[in-house]
Amino acid sequence: ISTVCRPTRPIMDWYKGTGLRPYLSLLPAARRSLEQAVLEEVAARYPKQGNGEIIFRFPRFFFTATPKA
């Protein structure tokens, strides 16, 4: 699964609402520097394509459980 973004800010906003949430709540004094460091890493890991868009991949694992017969 992936989505297409133009700037890196939407990716950062997604991270802030999910995986970064516990860290941001524990480190309020360092929030800005942590966000900036993560934003720089996001920009490095998700480069802009030739058309200016960024393909943001976020793998998911789906499965179906069925009862044993």
Side-chain angles (χ1 to χ4, degrees):
I1 296 175
S2 61
T3 190
V4 176
C5 302
R6 286 227 179 251
T8 53
R9 181 55 60 184
I11 297 171
M12 185 62 199
D13 291 342
W14 185 81
Y15 277 139
K16 283 173 29 180
T18 57
L20 277 180
R21 184 177 246 170
Y23 302 103
L24 294 174
S25 66
L26 291 173
L27 303 167
R31 183 181 184 113
R32 286 194 136 168
S33 60
L34 177 60
E35 285 182 15
Q36 184 60 37
V38 172
L39 185 60
E40 289 171 9
E41 189 66 26
V42 165
R45 290 183 181 252
Y46 298 98
K48 287 184 180 181
Q49 305 298 304
N51 62 1
E53 294 178 335
I54 299 166
I55 299 173
F56 177 52
R57 303 191 68 127
F58 44 99
R60 298 284 190 240
F61 179 68
F62 296 98
F63 63 93
T64 303
T66 57
K68 217 173 191 182

